[in-house]
DNA sequence: TCTGTCTCCTGAGAGC
DNA sequence: TGCTCTCAGGAGACAG
């Protein structure tokens, strides 16, 4: 599930394929939950535009076009943005994965889940947006047009510091984990990195945010930044469907301390990692190391 | 304003 | 083997 590190890695690897190049043609699937802007409109508006830059705001990718317009992309839970040359079992259904050895896999052909195909002018691969569960979003912003989704975003999680996090927790009765997942407070943190950062800071996910001390906020802010940076370095987490634009897996899933390790021993104290629901999300923590 | 709940979606895996 | 059910989660809408 793409969070800030996966979106940032995607941005860094997809930008060289797009920036400075022109979109020759566009194909889409029929209208669905993915298309905030109707697919027919995207097919009309995108061809002929040159990509100037690919930016990131929280978990949003912003493809800046030559006339000032922007294609806004959110990967949701299962969104994949990748090159047409990518090869990965994660781009196949489980049935196809099981029946084909990796060396037998042919090139990826756009399927029913490939909601946007950007054919790029000249040499080089095309770019696909695929999303099985359709929690991702595609949205066109006209030149100068903003969007409430972007306006509501809090500061980027890579830039959080202790005083700002401490201030955000004051008078908040919600669990600290709910606060970390609130994109209007902190843009970019999702379930995996909230659990990991809380473990490293020694704070239980269900603790009321307002009960965090100044010192704990300081440590938590530092661990959030550390864990996000480390994940970017390793190429993000390929826990379910996430795949890098070149088809490679991320590496951070091998460094997880608590996320999706329910029933396994804590790497610090050997106590058993537990899972409970906090803010309607599964939260994993060590009952000994975190208080 | 804050918090909690529901909803959207679909593949995987468990249970029968 | 095949069917049914549950679960996973980002974020908007809505109710209290």
């Amino acid at each position: 599930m793409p969070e800030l590190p996966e979106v940032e890695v995607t941005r860094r690897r997809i930008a060289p394929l797009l920036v400075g190049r022109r979109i020759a043609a566009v194909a889409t699937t029929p209208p669905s939950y993915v298309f905030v802007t109707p697919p027919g409109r995207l097919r009309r508006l995108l061809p002929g535009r040159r990509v100037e830059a690919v930016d990131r705001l929280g978990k949003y990718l912003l493809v800046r076009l030559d006339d000032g317009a922007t294609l806004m992309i959110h990967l949701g839970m299962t969104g994949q943005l990748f090159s047409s040359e990518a090869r990965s079992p994660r781009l196949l259904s489980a049935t196809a994965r099981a029946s084909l050895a990796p060396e037998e896999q042919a090139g990826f052909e756009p399927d029913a889940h490939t909601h946007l195909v950007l054919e790029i002018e000249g040499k080089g691969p095309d770019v696909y947006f695929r999303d099985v569960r359709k929690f991702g979003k595609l949205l066109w912003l006209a030149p100068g047009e903003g969007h409430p989704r972007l306006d509501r975003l809090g500061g980027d999680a890579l830039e959080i510091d202790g005083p700002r996090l401490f201030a955000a927790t004051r008078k908040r009765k919600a669990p600290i984990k709910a606060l970390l997942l609130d994109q209007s407070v902190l843009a970019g943190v999702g379930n995996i990195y909230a659990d990991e950062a809380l473990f490293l800071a020694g704070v239980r996910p269900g603790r009321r945010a307002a009960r965090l001390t100044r010192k704990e906020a300081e440590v938590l802010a530092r661990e959030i930044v550390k864990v996000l940076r480390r994940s970017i370095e390793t190429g993000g987490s390929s826990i379910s469907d996430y795949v890098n634009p070149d088809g490679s897996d991320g590496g951070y899933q091998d460094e997880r301390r608590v996320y999706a390790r329910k029933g396994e021993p804590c790497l610090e104290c050997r106590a058993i990692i537990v899972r409970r629901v906090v803010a309607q999300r599964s939260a994993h923590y060590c009952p000994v190391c975190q208080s």
Side-chain angles (χ1 to χ4, degrees):
Chain A
M1 50 221 71
E3 302 180 25
L4 186 152
E6 290 76 32
V7 178
E8 178 60 20
V9 172
T10 297
R11 186 192 73 77
R12 292 181 187 183
R13 299 194 187 177
I14 210 73
L17 306 181
L18 289 173
V19 175
R21 303 179 67 198
R22 206 170 286 281
I23 297 166
V26 172
T28 69
T29 48
S32 72
Y33 202 63
V34 168
F35 294 102
V36 179
T37 299
R41 192 153 177 249
L42 293 180
R43 290 197 302 272
R44 250 192 344 268
L45 290 168
L46 283 168
R49 313 267 176 170
R50 201 170 76 101
V51 176
E52 296 291 315
V54 181
D55 298 329
R56 180 187 61 76
L57 258 184
K59 300 180 195 173
Y60 289 92
L61 280 172
L62 304 172
V63 180
R64 310 287 190 189
L65 303 165
D66 52 3
D67 65 344
T70 298
L71 175 64
M72 191 166 124
I73 302 174
H74 194 291
L75 299 178
M77 243 191 89
T78 53
Q80 299 165 318
L81 191 67
F82 57 98
S83 146
S84 56
E85 293 178 346
R87 303 281 179 276
S88 169
R90 293 183 195 279
L91 299 174
L92 303 172
S93 69
T95 317
R97 268 180 231 178
S99 63
L100 281 178
E103 61 275 14
E104 292 174 322
Q105 286 165 22
F108 176 80
E109 289 296 325
D111 58 4
H113 306 303
T114 312
H115 303 291
L116 182 72
V117 174
L118 298 178
E119 285 182 33
I120 307 298
E121 212 169 71
K123 289 183 181 174
D126 298 333
V127 170
Y128 299 153
F129 172 73
R130 185 170 182 266
D131 185 5
V132 172
R133 293 189 197 171
K134 298 181 183 171
F135 277 21
K137 295 281 175 283
L138 292 170
L139 169 60
W140 173 270
L141 295 177
E145 183 184 1
H147 195 276
R149 289 172 192 253
L150 300 181
D151 297 342
R152 278 197 295 268
L153 288 178
D156 195 85
L158 278 176
E159 294 176 6
I160 188 69
D161 58 28
R164 270 192 288 173
L165 182 59
F166 183 70
T169 60
R170 296 307 85 187
K171 297 183 182 173
R172 295 293 294 264
K173 292 180 184 172
I176 181 63
K177 173 148 181 187
L179 198 83
L180 297 184
L181 296 178
D182 184 343
Q183 301 299 298
S184 67
V185 173
L186 196 58
V189 173
N191 214 27
I192 300 173
Y193 300 107
D195 278 3
E196 293 296 307
L198 284 165
F199 171 78
L200 292 169
V203 175
R204 284 203 191 191
R207 175 121 61 102
R208 284 191 176 195
R211 291 192 53 211
L212 222 66
T213 65
R214 194 178 292 274
K215 171 84 178 157
E216 285 173 323
E218 192 74 46
V219 175
L220 181 55
R222 196 168 61 233
E223 295 301 342
I224 289 169
V225 173
K226 207 193 292 181
V227 85
L228 294 175
R229 284 194 179 148
R230 176 61 189 155
S231 183
I232 291 171
E233 277 172 23
T234 58
S237 298
S238 291
I239 289 178
S240 55
D241 299 271
Y242 175 73
V243 64
N244 286 321
D246 55 8
S248 63
D249 275 0
Y252 192 79
Q253 66 277 7
D254 301 327
E255 299 188 17
R256 281 171 298 136
R257 277 83 161 182
V258 286
Y259 182 78
R261 293 194 63 241
K262 177 190 168 191
E264 295 179 34
C266 171
L267 301 176
E268 297 293 327
C269 72
R270 311 304 291 171
I272 298 301
I273 301 297
V274 298
R275 172 191 173 274
R276 62 171 282 213
V277 175
V278 175
Q280 292 199 291
R281 296 285 176 272
S282 55
H284 309 80
Y285 65 95
C286 170
V288 174
C289 296
Q290 293 170 261
S291 58

